[in-house]
Amino acid sequence: MIERIQNKSEFDVWRKRDIFSVRIMSILKSYGCKYQFATYYRQVIDGNVTAVMSKLDGDFTLSITDDADVDELVHFFCVTGYSSITCSDKFSLSSRYDEGIVMYCDTKMDYSLKGVTLDEYPKLMDLFNFVDYNSLDFKSWYVDISHRVRHGTAKAYTLCIDDAIIASGILSAIIKDNAILTAVRCEPEFRGMGYGSALVAAICGDVKGRVHIMRDEGMNEGFYKRLGFIDNGKWRIYR
């Protein structure tokens, strides 16, 4: 049975802390259960919670256990409709999807930031322009990320030389000792000089526990593995 969650405490029994659960719990902490655009669900089988979901606008995030009833979840999404579903490759849906690698890092590394400044509170307009989000609307992005920053569920970082950004990273989801790292970028002319590695190491060191990432398959594998990241399955985004 799939139930809509009306109270945060209904998620207390969910102990899984994979990248998808971190994202769901971070959204829950950020927005709570009072908004129509942020809703949450769980699947219960024989008294056990086997899946949890968040829906932010039309975008779902799904985390499942090995005991989840996948057929019921597929029916739920077909009936409810969705703009996207972010989940592991253990969930299969007859729809187009993108796929990549999930990684995590528990390692805390020493790093050097000579000649650059680490800014943990950059101007979001400057960060948005640096990351280059293509077709993403700045206003909607700003409202969401600034809300999360205020609630302690997101944090942005930049490396600067003479006030010019040369590298960036965003913890887009933070819950307890876990976080998800996104928007890692280094200006092409500064790549291969250790700036990107130093920034990621600094960000990981700022998180007490585990840092998760979603990377495209075949891209940046060596970069993240040198920093202590370990492959941990695959992600999918159904659209």
Side-chain angles (χ1 to χ4, degrees):
M1 180 175 64
I2 295 177
E3 308 170 335
R4 180 169 172 178
I5 297 300
Q6 302 289 352
N7 191 295
K8 291 182 180 181
S9 63
E10 295 178 73
F11 270 134
D12 288 349
V13 297
W14 186 257
R15 300 300 181 187
K16 196 171 184 181
R17 287 298 178 265
D18 62 336
I19 187 172
F20 311 107
S21 297
V22 171
R23 186 173 179 181
I24 292 166
M25 298 305 171
S26 175
I27 292 171
L28 179 64
K29 183 179 177 183
S30 299
Y31 291 103
C33 301
K34 62 182 179 180
Y35 298 107
Q36 290 298 316
F37 63 82
T39 53
Y40 315 90
Y41 305 85
R42 66 181 187 179
Q43 182 186 66
V44 181
I45 299 176
D46 296 330
N48 297 313
V49 180
T50 54
V52 294
M53 292 171 273
S54 65
K55 180 185 178 185
L56 191 61
D57 293 323
D59 298 313
F60 279 92
T61 302
L62 167 69
S63 180
I64 64 174
T65 69
D66 292 337
D67 299 322
D69 185 337
V70 174
D71 289 339
E72 183 183 47
L73 291 167
V74 169
H75 178 73
F76 170 81
F77 287 121
C78 290
V79 171
T80 305
Y82 59 89
S83 298
S84 70
I85 305 170
T86 300
C87 58
S88 77
D89 63 344
K90 293 180 180 180
F91 177 73
S92 182
L93 189 66
S94 297
S95 182
R96 180 176 63 87
Y97 63 85
D98 298 318
E99 187 176 74
I101 306 299
V102 174
M103 304 184 80
Y104 72 82
C105 179
D106 297 324
T107 305
K108 309 304 174 187
M109 299 180 64
D110 293 331
Y111 58 90
S112 174
L113 294 174
K114 295 180 180 179
V116 294
T117 302
L118 175 64
D119 187 352
E120 298 184 15
Y121 302 96
K123 294 179 180 178
L124 293 181
M125 172 67 87
D126 294 341
L127 179 60
F128 181 86
N129 291 333
F130 178 78
V131 174
D132 187 12
Y133 282 98
N134 296 319
S135 60
L136 187 63
D137 175 65
F138 170 74
K139 183 177 179 180
S140 59
W141 175 86
Y142 175 83
V143 169
D144 180 52
I145 196 69
S146 60
H147 180 87
R148 295 180 192 228
V149 169
R150 289 196 305 273
H151 285 78
T153 57
K155 189 173 181 179
Y157 304 78
T158 57
L159 283 186
C160 301
I161 295 179
D162 297 329
D163 296 326
I165 300 174
I166 66 165
S168 71
I170 299 175
L171 294 176
S172 59
I174 303 170
I175 190 72
K176 295 184 178 179
D177 292 336
N178 301 279
I180 301 173
L181 177 60
T182 61
V184 176
R185 181 179 181 272
C186 186
E187 281 280 37
E189 64 189 281
F190 292 99
R191 292 173 187 170
M193 302 170 67
Y195 292 119
S197 297
L199 178 60
V200 172
I203 295 172
C204 289
D206 201 27
V207 178
K208 291 182 179 180
R210 178 166 292 180
V211 177
H212 303 265
I213 64 166
M214 293 167 52
R215 68 171 177 83
D216 292 332
E217 196 160 6
M219 294 186 63
N220 303 317
E221 180 179 5
F223 172 81
Y224 284 108
K225 285 191 172 180
R226 286 193 297 272
L227 290 166
F229 281 84
I230 299 169
D231 288 348
N232 189 37
K234 291 187 175 183
W235 57 264
R236 284 183 178 178
I237 300 179
Y238 290 93
R239 305 183 190 279

